[in-house]
Amino acid sequence: MTGAAKIAGVIGWPVAHSLSPRLHGYWLAHYNVDGAYLPLPVPPESFAEVLCLLPAMGMAGVNLTIPHKQTALEAVDEIDDVAKRIGAVNTIIVRDDKSLFGTNTDARGFLANLKAGAPAWAADSGPAVLIGAGGAARAIAVALLDAGVPELRIVNRTVARATELADALGDPVKVHRWDDRSEILAETALVVNTTSLGMIGQPALDIDTGGLSVGTVVMDIVYSPLETPFLTAARAAGAVTVDGLGMLLHQAAPGFAAWFGVEPEVTPELRTHVLADHVSETGDT
Ligand code: ATR
């Protein structure tokens, strides 16, 4: 690093679990960038103050993780349409005029990972199913609607949350009862688990994959383990499976490009590097 190094980081509370420093650190070294990416533990009561100081400290920008992604919607100077619709900011860019621009790269990361893992999938291949209706489901729903899926089926344990998502997102979204989660897999092109079920320490997603068509793409946002029991069962039923690590890696690329001026690539070497020694979680920054 020189005195002119560009500085970015991830703000969270806690932040020690975040894989982002390891991920951006790999790219910084690989592309020989004069820069640094830091874990920044900031409690909620200090978040607004810390955001205001980013331009004064000459920082290029930050990623946000729990619990700051929603708070940031009101705390930055401008957000784009995708952050507004997802209802969360995960990437902030400090602009030349010192203002803060907030976006959300989860939808782009999801689609990039899907295209990389299942190149034959196309939005018009058929209906898509989302299992879960939390923050991750919302980002993926926005991605799939923008891509042009003809029908999006959402199934969630708490049906009111799925209805709220459907009401916010509009027409091709249909809400289904949790008890019908196995039946609605029939004749679909894509199924995504957005819940934490299947993660190490959590029960598996209890669903019958027998009704999946051969060739349906099945993705899990859980990446610890990389192959969840749901993905194992889906593969046995003839599905094409995509694990959740790629979404985390791909969502990081736009921020890196904006802060450090290099468009980074998601490679098998990056996957191996990020996985070494990692602990936990779902596809969160
Ligand atoms: P995230 O932002 O990571 O999506 P979240 O907003 O807490 O996290 O959402 C978690 C999702 O996992 C929700 O869809 C949740 O269902 P509820 O809305 O009914 O809570 C789902 N989930 C978590 N544990 C679950 C379980 N044991 N059975 C079924 N769904 C579960």
Side-chain angles (χ1 to χ4, degrees):
M1 247 196 295
T2 73
K6 296 193 169 77
I7 311 296
V10 54
I11 300 181
W13 186 258
V15 80
H17 69 284
S18 175
L19 290 177
S20 294
R22 199 167 168 82
L23 157 54
H24 287 276
Y26 175 90
W27 280 333
L28 286 168
H30 182 79
Y31 296 107
N32 205 14
V33 172
D34 188 15
Y37 184 100
L38 313 168
L40 301 164
V42 175
E45 63 273 19
S46 305
F47 179 64
E49 195 184 346
V50 167
L51 270 196
C52 288
L53 287 172
L54 295 179
M57 290 174 68
M59 289 187 66
V62 285
N63 282 127
L64 303 179
T65 187
I66 291 165
H68 303 308
K69 292 203 274 192
Q70 284 81 26
T71 323
L73 288 168
E74 302 296 329
V76 297
D77 297 297
E78 188 187 338
I79 56 169
D80 65 3
D81 185 55
V82 76
K84 204 176 293 172
R85 283 158 65 227
I86 293 173
V89 169
N90 76 346
T91 304
I92 294 178
I93 295 155
V94 179
R95 294 190 290 207
D96 290 343
D97 66 1
K98 305 286 185 201
S99 64
L100 300 178
F101 173 72
T103 183
N104 192 310
T105 60
D106 282 339
R108 267 177 286 174
F110 165 79
L111 274 185
N113 185 40
L114 178 59
K115 284 179 182 158
W121 179 86
D124 61 5
S125 310
V129 174
L130 285 189
I131 301 164
R138 199 172 177 106
I140 294 170
V142 166
L144 290 173
L145 293 177
D146 287 355
V149 293
E151 181 187 336
L152 185 58
R153 303 174 185 169
I154 300 188
V155 64
N156 194 50
R157 175 181 62 178
T158 309
V159 75
R161 259 184 122 184
T163 307
E164 197 184 309
L165 192 53
D167 289 347
L169 295 175
D171 211 21
V173 183
K174 307 263 184 296
V175 174
H176 293 266
R177 292 181 329 127
W178 184 243
D179 286 351
D180 296 336
R181 61 193 180 280
S182 301
E183 282 143 52
I184 62 166
L185 303 186
E187 286 165 41
T188 53
L190 175 69
V191 179
V192 186
N193 173 42
T194 74
T195 73
S196 49
L197 295 168
M199 195 193 293
I200 289 171
Q202 295 263 354
L205 172 63
D206 176 19
I207 195 165
D208 180 358
T209 51
L212 281 169
S213 309
V214 170
T216 295
V217 178
V218 175
M219 192 194 282
D220 206 320
I221 67 155
V222 172
Y223 56 77
S224 186
L226 270 182
E227 172 140 317
T228 59
F230 176 50
L231 289 184
T232 307
R235 173 160 328 103
V240 173
T241 58
V242 181
D243 69 56
L245 181 62
M247 181 171 165
L248 172 76
L249 305 183
H250 283 283
Q251 68 72 32
F256 189 91
W259 304 319
F260 300 117
V262 178
E263 300 271 352
E265 253 194 293
V266 172
T267 58
E269 292 72 33
L270 175 65
R271 279 177 69 92
T272 309
H273 176 82
V274 169
L275 280 177
D277 302 326
H278 98 279
V279 274
S280 94
E281 302 233 346
T282 52
D284 207 353
T285 45

